[in-house]
Amino acid sequence: MLEIFTLTLLTLFAITSVVAAYLAIRERDLVKAVVYSAIQSAMYALIYYVLMAPDIVLVYIPVSVGLIPAVLLFVIKKTERYEGD
Amino acid sequence: MKKADVFVIASIIVFILSLAYITALGGLGPLPPINVRRIAINYLNLTYNTFTPYLTVFALESVTSIVWDFRGLDTLYETAVFYAAIIASIALYRGVYMDFKKNTEKTGLSPIAKTVTRISLILIPTVSASVALHGHLTPGGGFQAGSIATVVIVLSIIIFSRYFLPIHGLSKNKALLFRSIGLLGIAITSIALLLIAIVLGVNAYIFQNQAKIDAPLSFPSLVDNYILGGSLLFFNLFEFIAVAFGFTIVFLLLSISEEKVKKVTMDG
Amino acid sequence: MVNEYALFAAYVVVLSLYVNLGIALYGIFARPSLVKKLIAITILSDTANAFAILVGYRWPIGKLPKPPVITELPVTRKVLETYTSTAVDPLPQALVLTAVVIGLAVTLFIAFIIIQYYRLYGTVNIHKVRRR
C-alpha cells in the first residue's frame, strides 16, 4: 500500500514538472517564466525526497527554489522584462 | 513557425531518441535499477565498520564520507571551480565601491515584514550551523549549510535595503577575508597529517582521515563516546564558511545600483 | 521481480525526464532572450541531476529502500548487513551534491556576463544584436 502511494506521488511530481518546464519556456513575461521554473525545481526536490536522497533535498530547496530565482529576478530587473522576437 | 525552428525541433527529437535508444540497450545498467552496484555496496559497507579498521571512515553518513574522504580530491577541485567562478565575478566589478547611506529606516518593505525577518535572521544561521556541524551524523554538510545561510543574505537585501549589511559590518572585503579563511582551513586540514608525519618521521597521505596500514596517524574519531568523524567535521565547518561568504560577496555585488557600475566600467 | 505498477511509474518518470531534456534544449537553441537561455540551462542541469539520482535508486520489491545514513548504534555486523541490503547508492548523491553548488556559482557568473552584455549592447535579445 505504502509502495503504491509513493510511486503514485512520484508519477504526479514528474508530470507536474513537465508541465511547469513547458510553461517556463513558452512564457513571454520573464518574471512568470522564473516562477514556473521555480515550481519545476520544487517538483524535482520532492522527487529527490521520494527517491531517498535527503542530502540533495537540503541543498536543493535553498539553491534551486530560493537563490537561482533571486539571481534571475535581479538580472531581469537590471535588463529587460519581456522577451521579444 | 519558421524554417529554422522546424530544423531545431527535428534535430532535438533525433538526439533524444538516440539517447533513449542507448539507455534502453543498457548503457546505464538496468532501468529501473533493482539492486545497487558493487562499488556502492563497498562504500556502504565501509562507512562505519569497526571490523576493518584500516579502510573505514568512522562517520555515520555515507554521502558526506564519500564527498570528503573516499573521493576527497574530486571535491577539492570542485571547490577550486567554485573559487574561480566567484573571483571572475569580482573581476567584472573591479573599481566599483559600495557607498554607505546611514538611514535605513525609511527604505525597504513594511515594519511587519522587517520584524518577521529579524526573527529569521537569527533562526536560519542557527539551522545552517546545526546542519554543518552534524554533517557526519545526519543528512547535511558544508555545501548544504552554506546554501541555507546565503538565504539570509538575500532576505536582508530584499527586505531591508542594500545598505543593511555594510552598515552592520559585513562589507565586501570582510566577506572576502572570511571566505579566504575558509579556503585556507580546507587546505590546512587536507595536509595536516602530512605535516605532523614529516615532524615525526612516519608515513602519511594527502587527504588522510583515519589510519591506514602503512600510515599510523589519524584524526580523532571518537571523543568521550561522541562520534566526530575525524577530518569530516573540520572540512564541513570550513566549507560552510567558504560557501556562505563566497555567495555573500556575489549577492552584495548584484545589489549595487546599475548607474554607478555603468559609470565605472564603461568610462574607466 | 518488479510488479507492473512500479514498472509503469518508472517509465513515466524516465519519459518525463527525456521530455524535460528536450524542452530545455529547445529553450537553449531557439529562444532569443539570453535570460530565457539561462532558465533553460538550469532546467537542463536539474534533469541531468535527477537522472543520476534515479540510476542510484533501488526500485522497491515489497519494501521501500532507506536513505544512506546509519541510524542504529552500536554498529554490529547485523546492522551493517541490513544497511547494505536496504540503503540506496550514495555515490550519485555525492556527485550531484557538489554539482548543484558549483552549478549555482557558474549560474551566478553567467548572470554577471548577461548584465555586462546588456551594458555593452543595450539589449539581451541576440537577434537584435545581430542585425546591428
Side-chain angles (χ1 to χ4, degrees), chain B residues 39-59 62 65 69-70, chain C residues 70 80 83-84:
Chain B
I39 185 167
I41 288 178
N42 277 333
Y43 280 142
L44 291 171
N45 197 25
L46 292 175
T47 304
Y48 194 106
N49 196 334
T50 45
F51 311 106
T52 54
Y54 288 122
L55 293 172
T56 180
V57 186
F58 286 125
S62 295
S65 46
D69 190 316
F70 290 124
Chain C
I70 300 177
L80 268 179
Y83 178 59
T84 45

Side-chain angles (χ1 to χ4, degrees), chain C residues 47-58:
Chain C
T47 312
N49 292 339
F51 216 98
I53 298 288
L54 188 75
V55 170
Y57 189 59
R58 208 186 261 259

Side-chain angles (χ1 to χ4, degrees), chain A residues 25-83:
Chain A
I25 296 298
R26 289 294 298 177
E27 183 61 54
R28 274 266 145 71
D29 187 352
L30 287 173
V31 174
K32 282 184 191 166
V34 168
V35 172
Y36 286 130
S37 156
I39 291 172
Q40 176 260 339
S41 293
M43 286 305 130
Y44 271 46
L46 291 169
I47 286 178
Y48 294 143
Y49 190 75
V50 172
L51 291 183
M52 300 292 165
D55 288 87
I56 315 296
V57 179
L58 274 178
V59 74
Y60 223 72
I61 295 286
V63 167
S64 281
V65 187
L67 297 179
I68 287 183
V71 172
L72 289 172
L73 289 177
F74 270 120
V75 172
I76 291 167
K77 182 170 169 280
K78 288 178 180 231
T79 58
E80 295 164 347
R81 178 161 177 178
Y82 293 95
E83 180 190 37

Side-chain angles (χ1 to χ4, degrees), chain A residues 3 7-8 11 14 17-18 21 24-25 27 40-41 44 48 51-53 56 60 68 71-72 78-80 83-84, chain C residues 3 5-6 12 16-17 20 23 31-33 36 38 43 46 49-50 57 62 65 93 104 108 111 118 123-125:
Chain A
E3 184 195 326
L7 292 175
T8 313
T11 321
S17 79
V18 170
I25 296 298
E27 183 61 54
Q40 176 260 339
S41 293
Y44 271 46
Y48 294 143
L51 291 183
M52 300 292 165
I56 315 296
Y60 223 72
I68 287 183
V71 172
L72 289 172
K78 288 178 180 231
T79 58
E80 295 164 347
E83 180 190 37
Chain C
N3 64 34
Y5 187 71
V12 169
S16 80
L17 291 180
N20 269 359
I23 291 171
R31 303 300 289 187
S33 167
K36 184 58 79 63
L38 184 53
I43 293 175
D46 280 3
N49 292 339
Y57 189 59
Q93 299 193 14
L104 175 58
L108 285 167
Y118 185 76
T123 179
V124 288
N125 189 329

Side-chain angles (χ1 to χ4, degrees), chain B residues 57 59 64-65 68-69 136 209 229-237:
Chain B
V57 186
T64 310
S65 46
W68 286 118
D69 190 316
H136 53 288
N209 181 3
S231 62
L232 301 189
L233 181 67
F234 301 103
F235 277 130
N236 277 333
L237 184 63

